[in-house]
Amino acid sequence: MGILTFSLNLTLDGCVDHEAGIADDETHAFFTRLMDEHGAMLWGRVTYEMMESYWPAVARGEVDAPPALREWADKLQDKPKYVVSSTRADFPWSNSHRIAGDLRSGVQALKDATPDGVLLGSGLLANALDRLDLIDEYRFLVHPRIAGHGPTLYPEGLPGARRLERVSATPLHCGAVAMHYRRALT
């Protein structure tokens, strides 16, 4: 059985707006390596639609992009992508699949079928999956910024605190820190 890893950009004040962090070759390379380590991507519909509106065009060469972004786009094109949605059924981007019905059983089945693990990149979906105790690891890229606005991680809170064990903390040249935690066993 694979694990579910939640990964996201995050500012020091908890903002998860994708435009609030630092986007450079090093941060894109971090997420490309992370994607390479996992067998599939998992998003909610809103995140999928945001990604779908940009990255396929980069992969097709329709958008001028630096090499780090093009590498991400090319790999993302081939990566299996799973989308949790109750409102949309058609996902034409290559290798995209819908998870519908019971969230717990659908995501658990995906984990069971993906020995290399699943990379989750949607904040609202993570909130729901954390409530179901389905997230095994957290890989946050914490940026040296105070955004002063939302959206924030876990805006509705959780029923209880999550005890985590640090696996690593790696500083990047831009000042961001790649934080890797896993759920504590006890």
Side-chain angles (χ1 to χ4, degrees):
M1 172 175 85
I3 62 169
L4 180 61
T5 301
F6 174 34
S7 180
L8 212 59
N9 287 298
L10 180 68
T11 63
L12 290 173
D13 59 343
C15 178
V16 295
D17 180 339
H18 72 280
E19 294 180 345
I22 299 165
D24 64 9
D25 286 350
E26 187 178 29
T27 59
H28 283 287
F30 166 80
F31 283 107
T32 301
R33 282 190 307 275
L34 194 55
M35 179 174 50
D36 287 344
E37 294 172 6
H38 292 80
M41 305 294 287
L42 175 62
W43 297 315
R45 180 192 53 81
V46 172
T47 301
Y48 173 88
E49 289 175 349
M50 179 184 65
M51 302 292 276
E52 175 188 45
S53 72
Y54 181 71
W55 293 110
V58 174
R60 291 189 302 266
E62 297 168 4
V63 174
D64 188 32
L69 271 70
R70 188 158 315 282
E71 179 184 13
W72 164 265
D74 289 342
K75 289 183 176 189
L76 190 55
Q77 192 74 3
D78 296 332
K79 184 67 72 172
K81 296 169 279 295
Y82 292 85
V83 186
V84 173
S85 179
S86 61
T87 58
R88 181 175 169 184
D90 181 38
F91 297 92
W93 187 10
S94 67
N95 299 310
S96 294
H97 313 277
R98 178 182 183 206
I99 295 178
D102 181 68
L103 184 59
R104 179 187 300 276
S105 61
V107 172
Q108 186 62 57
L110 176 60
K111 286 173 63 172
D112 292 344
T114 313
D116 288 336
V118 179
L119 186 60
L120 166 65
S122 292
L124 290 177
L125 180 56
N127 197 331
L129 295 176
D130 224 339
R131 289 175 180 278
L132 297 172
D133 290 323
L134 288 172
I135 298 177
D136 303 296
E137 292 190 348
Y138 302 80
R139 304 280 300 262
F140 295 131
L141 193 54
V142 182
H143 295 261
R145 301 244 169 110
I146 303 216
H149 63 81
T152 60
L153 200 56
Y154 302 109
E156 299 172 14
L158 289 172
R162 299 288 183 247
R163 231 183 99 225
L164 306 175
E165 296 174 348
R166 181 176 53 85
V167 176
S168 65
T170 307
L172 278 63
H173 289 82
C174 67
V177 179
M179 307 294 295
H180 182 182
Y181 291 92
R182 72 174 46 108
R183 295 278 299 261
L185 297 177
T186 57

